[in-house]
Structure formats: C-alpha cells, structure tokens
Amino acid sequence: MSEQVTVKEAVEVKVEKKEALFSKKNKRLLADPMDDSNPITVQVLGVCSALAITVQVEQAIVMSLSVIAVLAIGNVLVSLLRHAIPARIRIIVQLVIVATLVILVDQILQAFAYDVSKKLSVFVGLIITNCIIMGRLEAFAMANKPWQALLDGLGNGAAYGMILVVVAVFREFFGSGKLFGVQLVPDAFYEAGYMNNNMMILPPMALIVVGLIIWFQRGRNTKLIEDH
Amino acid sequence: MKFDKDGNGFTFGFATVMVVVVATVLSVASISLQPFQQKNKTAEKMQNILKTIGVEVSRDEATKIFGDYVKERIILDYSANASTPKTGAIDPLDKEDAFNINMKKQYKSKKWEKRAYPVYICEKDGKQYRVIPMVGKGLWGPIWGFVALEADNNTIFGASFDHKTETPGLGAEINTADFQDQFPGKKLFDATGKFISIKVMKGGAPEGFEHGVDAITGGTITSNGVTDMLKKTLKVYQPYLEK
C-alpha cells in the first residue's frame, strides 16, 4: 500500500517535470506579481525609481522595458548557473550579472534612443540598485529552472512597469496636461483659468499616487489586508 | 577527490572566469556601439551650437544644415593666437579642425595654457556671431556649454549648457530653457571695456544687471561651476574678442 503511494508520488513528480509551458502554476508566475505580490504596491520595492522617472509616460515606458529586460535575462542567467555559483560569492555573482546587463542596456539606449537615455540619465545606472532585481535573483532564480525564472522575471518586471506607467499617466496628464508629450488639455481650459498641478511634477506626488494605488488595490483585493 | 563547489579553488576559478567573460562582453558591446553613440554626440554638438544662434532644429536636421550657418572654425591657443580658419565640410579625422577638439579631454588636462580654444564663426540673416565652446566642473562631473556673441563681441546672443552627471532637478537644471534663456542680452565687458564675465548669482541677479543671472536653487555648486567656467574660458578669449 505504502509502496503504491510512493510510486504514485514519483509519477506525479515526473508529470510535473514535463508540465506544459503555460501550466496553471507557470501562468501564476506571470500573473501573481500583477496583483497579489506586486513588487511596488505589495512588497514596496523599487519605489525610488518609481518616484524619479514617472513625470512622463515615455520615460516610464523605456525604464520599464529596461527593467523587464534586465530582470528577465538576469533571472535566466542566474537560474542556468544556479548549480555552479559558489554559495559564498553568490550575491557578488548576481550583482556582476545585473551590473553587466544594466551597462549593456545603458549603452544600447545611448546608441539608439539618445534622447530618452539623456532624460533617464543616472536612473538607468541605478537599475542595479533596484531591490526588485536582486530580490528576484536571490529569492527565485537561485532555486528554480530557467523557464520559470524567465516567467517570474517577465511577470515582476511587467508588474513594476505597469505601476510606473499608471503613475506616469496621472503625473503627466495632471502635471503638464499632456500624454506622450502631446497636449491633451485644450487651450480653452487654460484660458478659462485651469492650471496644471505643478505639485504633480514633483516627487512627493508620485509617492501619494502610489499610495492611492495601494489603497485602491487593497480595497479591491481583501487578501492583502493584514489582520492585526 | 569529490568535486567541491564551495571550495576555495572553484570559487576563485568561477570568479576569474566570470570577470573575464563579463569584461569581454562589455568591451565588444562598447566598441561595436561606439560609432552609433559618436554619431549621436556629434549631431547633438551641432544642435547645441545652432541653438545658441537661435536655430532650433532636431538632431538629424542639425547635421544637414550645420554648414549653412557655421562658416568658419578657428582654434586659438592660450595667448589667443588664431589658427587658419577651416571652412566647408568637417573631416572627422582632421585634428586641426576646431569641431574635432574633444572638449571633455580638454577638461581632463588641468593646465589651461595647454588647452585648445575653438571659435565658430556663424552667420544668420546677414549677421555674424561667434560661438565659444567651454568646459568646466560641476558638482559630480564635467559641465559644458556654448555661448554665442553678437557682432560687437560683447553682448550674448544665446547660450546652451549641458552636464554629464549633475543632480536631476537641481544642478541638472542648467540644461533647461528656464536657465539658458536668462543669458541673451547680458554683456561680458562693462561700459569702460573692462572684462567682467557673467555671474550665476545665488539669491538672484538684480533687475537690469548686465553681468549676472539667477542661480539654481539647490544647485549652488553647479551654478558656481558655470560662473567659473564662463569666467576662466572667456578670459582667454578676451584678447581675441577685443581685436
């Protein structure tokens, strides 16, 4: 009887090894960061860059794409090397991988997206210090297979980007009356006394918008409310 | 012997291989992307020079029309002796061409006497302007800019500044129109012909003052850097401008 159970378990493990690329579990790797374990609004990581580069939507999108690229590739590389990385220097190895990817992204932006690269200035370099990236490498990629690591990277990167873009839409629209640099608030409004909210352009407003998003999210998703 | 992943030998070996691989990847990337980056930087330089004489164009446009406005390119030495002017198309390999002077390298050489001092003589709507490039020191790294002088070699027609790593929102504001638009109409020499330069003044320049502009709040060191850069660079050009 007990032997049978063991066999059954073994079979299950084997089945799991051959699971479909987009099994339910794998899909959750992509979907969870969007809501239940969002890096910005739930784990409150990477807030620094979320404050700094959300004044315009274009910057926010380029920054998000850069983070997605660094996080996904970094996750896959660390996952591939996870059996080889010596435990004592694993953080340094992760850091070197992230730093290399960030420099590559920066160089590529300078070559092909010069204007955006100038606007993002130091913040591209600061992707290295984004806690989301080191967090995912250490917590997930070190213990999972490359495909799962890729999904996790894409999921977390996209979740970070989603919040960034939402905040940027609010800030650019109310702060400068524009989206993607195109003026949306008609001139007639300004003539009638409407004014751009200059506060929106300043970093504190990003914090407040992120706070409002967290509030909204918790109101909708009661799982996130801790009981004290 | 059992293979020990966490032994000293493997750890050192891993680190060494990793560093070599990373260095190779970065070097290859840097070298292969350099032509593209250089093109952007050259175009941006042209764009900034044109901006000071009031020609606002995109970077791509700037490379096309640069020659229409910038007629002569001259290099001065520290005693303001001018080289033979270069005209026509820019040969990127010609070291004698003022446009190819790498201002950032100039910034690295501490000796002001050994630097080269380029001047661009520009023409727009029949009027002549001299554009003077400059480099200086901000808070974190180099700052640089271009100042266009009107035909009297005294009144500023336009100025553009930029920086490498100044603090966003503070010192970095020197590359915004708000800061740069204060310069047109300011004068380098006073009524008696004495060289004064332009000061970036903390607390704001007095109304109607011809030798000062408002500094940037929270960007004092960068502002002082601009003052210094203007004064030290333009001083070298003084004999040339008085001619």
Side-chain angles (χ1 to χ4, degrees), chain B residues 118-132:
Chain B
V119 187
Y120 304 99
I121 299 182
C122 309
E123 256 174 50
K124 196 185 109 186
D125 307 332
K127 281 190 191 141
Q128 201 185 52
Y129 303 97
R130 277 168 223 276
V131 178
I132 297 172

Side-chain angles (χ1 to χ4, degrees), chain A residues 89-104:
Chain A
I89 57 164
R90 67 178 197 286
I91 299 285
I92 299 173
V93 174
Q94 292 163 13
L95 205 66
V96 169
I97 290 174
V98 177
T100 312
L101 292 170
V102 168
I103 294 171
L104 283 177

Side-chain angles (χ1 to χ4, degrees), chain B residues 109-185:
Chain B
S109 86
K110 291 278 176 279
K111 290 208 175 85
W112 284 77
E113 307 84 55
K114 295 219 168 131
R115 294 186 184 177
Y117 296 89
V119 187
Y120 304 99
I121 299 182
C122 309
E123 256 174 50
K124 196 185 109 186
D125 307 332
K127 281 190 191 141
Q128 201 185 52
Y129 303 97
R130 277 168 223 276
V131 178
I132 297 172
M134 48 190 69
V135 267
K137 210 163 81 183
L139 173 58
W140 305 110
I143 53 177
W144 58 90
F146 298 92
V147 170
L149 298 176
E150 287 178 18
D152 64 358
N153 283 342
N154 182 13
T155 316
I156 292 184
F157 184 73
S160 102
F161 298 100
D162 213 341
H163 64 96
K164 188 160 182 220
T165 44
E166 296 309 293
T167 322
L170 302 175
E173 298 287 301
I174 59 166
N175 66 8
T176 59
D178 279 347
F179 180 71
Q180 293 167 12
D181 287 351
Q182 302 183 79
F183 283 84

